[in-house]
Amino acid sequence: MNRNEPTALERFINGILPENPVYRQLLGMCPTLAVTNSMEPAMTMAVAVAFVLLSANIIVSLIRHLLKPHLRILVFTLTIATFVTIADRILQAYMWDMSKQLGPYVPLIIVNCIIICRCEVCASKQKLGPAIMDALGQSLGFALALASVATVREILGSGTWFGLPVMPAVWPDWVIMVLPPGAFLTLGVLIGLVNWLQNKKKQTA
Amino acid sequence: MDYVGSLILLAINAALINNFVLHYFVGICPFVGVSRRVDVALGMGLAVTFVITIAAFLSWTLTWFVLQPNAPLTSWIVHTINPNSEMVVDLSILNYIVYIFVIASSVQFVEMFVRKFHPPLYKSLGVYLPLITTNCAILFACLEIMKHVSGVGAGAWTLDKALILGFFGGIGFLIAIVLMAGIREELDLCDVPAPLKGAGITMIIAGILAMAFMGFTGVDSGLAGILMRGGG
C-alpha cells in the first residue's frame, strides 16, 4: 500500500474538520441550506445521510473489483437510491411528522454530492475498513456543519435550541433567519469564518 | 380561461415565487460552480431547462401509467396474467430508482446532442454537463410531479401541468444563475475580504437575491384575482 495514503483513523479525523464536506469541499449544500431552520430536522437529516453514506460505502467497497469504469457512476447512484428508499420508508413509518417536514429533501439525498463523491474518491478504491471509517468521519463532519448552521438560525430566528427557549423573552425573533435568505446569509458568513480561522492557524504555524 | 389562468399561475409560481434555487435550495452546486461568466451560465441554464422538461415529461408518463398505485399499464398486465386477481398493484417503491434512471439517460442524450451541434458550448460546460445528472433541481421536479400525480381527484396533475412545472422551473433556474453570473462578473473588480472570496460571498449574494425574490410573494393571489375577473 502507498505510504502517503492516509490510514483509516486519519480518514476519520480528516472528515470532521480538515476535509469537512460542507465547509472545505463545498459539497451537499442543498440539505445544509434547506433543513437547517431548526435543530431537530437538521439532526434527522444528518442521521439519514450518515445511514445512506455508510451503507453505500460498504456496498461499493465490497463490489469495487466488479465495477466497470464507464458504468460506475450509474452503479453508485442506483445503490444510493436503494438505501434512500429504505431510509425514506423508515422515516415515513416511524417519524411521520418529521418525514412530512423534511418533504422532498429525503429523496434528494440520492443526488447529494457528498455520497457520490465519497463512493468515487474513497470507497471504490479502498478496503472495507478504511471505507467505513471514511463514511463515519464524513457523516460526522456533515452533522457538525448542519448543527452549526441550524444553531445559528434557530437561536437567532426563533430564540430556541432543539425547541427549548434559550433567548430572553424580550428577544425579537429575526424571522428572516428561518426563511430562505437567512440560510444563504448564515452559510456565507460561516464559510468566511471557517476560512478566516484556517488562515490564522496557517499564519501562526 | 380558468384553465389558462391556472397554468399561468403555476408558471409564475415555479419560475419566480418559489424559485428552485432561491426558495427550495435545489441546484446549488452549478449555481455556485458555473456562475463565473454570463455566457457559460446561460448555456448551463438552457441545458438544465431542457433536461428538466424532458425529465418532467418522462417522469409524469412513467408515474401515471406504471408506478402509481393501480396504474393502468401495470394493472392491465396483472389482470391479463391472472384475470381473477384482486390485487392492488403498487410500484411506487421503485419511484426514486426509476427517476434516477430517467434523469441519467436524458442527460446522456443532451450531452450527445450538445457535443454534436454545439461544440464550443460543450467545451465550456466541461465537467458540469454530466454533473447535471446529480443536479438536485431535476430530481426535485420529478418528485414534485410524483407528489401531485398521486394526489386524489381533481387535485391530480395532468401532463400539461407537469410540463409547465418542469419548463418554468428550469427558466427560474436560468434567471437565478444568469443574475448571479452578472453580479459575479462585476464582483471581480471589487475588493472582497480574503476569507469570503469564492463561495462565501456567493452565498451572501444569493441571500440578498433570495430576499429580493421574496418580494414576489403574494403576486400569485393578486394575479389570480385579475385573471379570474378577466375571464368572467
Side-chain angles (χ1 to χ4, degrees):
Chain A
M1 201 169 146
N2 191 340
R3 258 179 191 283
N4 294 327
E5 286 279 299
T7 62
L9 189 65
E10 276 168 11
R11 282 180 183 280
F12 177 71
I13 296 168
N14 266 349
I16 298 175
L17 264 186
E19 286 178 23
N20 186 293
V22 175
Y23 289 124
R24 306 302 303 168
Q25 306 179 56
L26 299 175
L27 296 173
M29 302 297 235
C30 159
T32 314
L33 293 165
V35 299
T36 49
N37 50 11
S38 55
M39 278 303 272
E40 220 173 315
M43 288 300 98
T44 317
M45 177 54 92
V47 172
V49 168
F51 164 73
V52 177
L53 179 56
L54 186 60
S55 323
N57 256 14
I58 290 174
I59 297 287
V60 168
S61 168
L62 288 176
I63 61 168
R64 67 185 185 281
H65 298 302
L66 305 171
L67 290 175
K68 302 271 179 293
H70 58 286
L71 281 180
R72 63 178 199 290
I73 299 284
L74 190 64
V75 174
F76 296 163
T77 2
L78 290 181
T79 318
I80 297 167
T82 315
F83 285 112
V84 170
T85 310
I86 296 172
D88 188 38
R89 296 274 154 159
I90 292 176
L91 270 181
Q92 279 178 13
Y94 294 105
M95 301 170 77
W96 175 240
D97 291 333
M98 184 52 74
S99 149
K100 261 190 140 169
Q101 197 182 342
L102 289 175
Y105 298 104
V106 177
L108 281 176
I109 297 176
I110 301 172
V111 286
N112 190 323
C113 334
I114 297 176
I115 302 175
I116 297 179
C117 175
R118 288 338 282 180
C119 285
E120 165 83 17
V121 175
C122 175
S124 62
K125 301 194 179 83
Q126 298 294 331
K127 289 204 201 72
L128 194 54
I132 291 178
M133 290 311 269
D134 187 77
L136 289 177
Q138 292 289 329
S139 25
L140 202 58
F142 182 64
L144 276 179
L146 280 188
S148 58
V149 180
T151 304
V152 173
R153 286 183 69 191
E154 195 180 347
I155 290 182
L156 292 183
S158 17
T160 55
W161 197 69
F162 264 116
L164 304 168
V166 284
M167 294 303 248
V170 291
W171 175 257
D173 294 344
W174 298 6
V175 180
I176 196 85
M177 294 310 276
V178 293
L179 293 175
F184 286 113
L185 295 179
T186 313
L187 188 62
V189 172
L190 283 178
I191 287 177
L193 199 67
V194 170
N195 282 345
W196 182 67
L197 288 175
Q198 200 84 6
N199 287 346
K200 220 170 140 188
K201 216 161 89 185
K202 236 183 257 165
Q203 276 164 11
T204 50
Chain B
M1 194 62 201
D2 265 10
Y3 171 73
V4 180
S6 69
L7 288 192
I8 294 177
L9 279 183
L10 184 66
I12 292 190
N13 210 2
L16 295 177
I17 303 170
N18 294 333
N19 186 288
F20 273 24
V21 179
L22 299 171
H23 187 267
Y24 287 119
F25 312 108
V26 289
I28 297 286
C29 300
F31 183 67
V32 176
V34 208
S35 59
R36 284 217 176 74
R37 285 181 44 210
V38 172
D39 48 346
V40 182
L42 188 67
M44 184 70 188
L46 288 174
V48 167
T49 311
F50 189 61
V51 177
I52 289 196
T53 317
I54 294 180
F57 171 74
L58 289 174
S59 69
W60 185 88
T61 318
L62 282 170
T63 317
W64 179 258
F65 287 106
V66 183
L67 293 171
Q68 65 165 339
N70 262 335
L73 192 63
T74 30
S75 346
W76 179 77
I77 293 175
V78 168
H79 287 286
T80 324
I81 297 172
N82 179 7
N84 302 324
S85 103
E86 301 272 313
M87 193 166 73
V88 173
V89 198
D90 185 1
L91 287 182
S92 55
I93 198 163
L94 291 177
N95 275 348
Y96 304 154
I97 296 177
V98 170
Y99 293 153
I100 279 295
F101 236 102
V102 163
I103 294 169
S105 34
S106 19
V107 169
Q108 199 74 42
F109 173 70
V110 171
E111 194 180 345
M112 282 168 3
F113 184 82
V114 174
R115 187 161 55 190
K116 183 102 171 88
F117 293 104
H118 220 304
L121 182 62
Y122 180 76
K123 259 196 183 153
S124 56
L125 286 178
V127 69
Y128 285 99
L129 199 55
L131 276 185
I132 296 181
T133 313
T134 55
N135 185 332
C136 347
I138 297 166
L139 185 61
F140 180 77
C142 293
L143 292 169
E144 280 293 292
I145 291 166
M146 171 196 92
K147 204 168 79 192
H148 287 107
V149 166
S150 343
V152 273
W157 277 15
T158 40
L159 180 58
D160 47 357
K161 287 202 174 166
L163 283 178
I164 295 266
L165 176 89
F167 181 70
F168 282 95
I171 295 288
F173 177 81
L174 178 82
I175 295 174
I177 197 171
V178 169
L179 277 179
M180 192 59 171
I183 296 175
R184 282 183 76 176
E185 275 188 355
E186 295 295 313
L187 207 66
D188 284 345
L189 309 171
C190 303
D191 186 18
V192 181
L196 281 179
K197 274 207 174 100
I201 194 75
T202 312
M203 283 294 148
I204 293 175
I205 295 170
I208 297 167
L209 270 182
M211 270 187 231
F213 270 72
M214 274 172 69
F216 286 113
T217 318
V219 168
D220 51 345
S221 55
L223 204 64
I226 296 170
L227 283 172
M228 297 315 156
R229 201 169 51 213

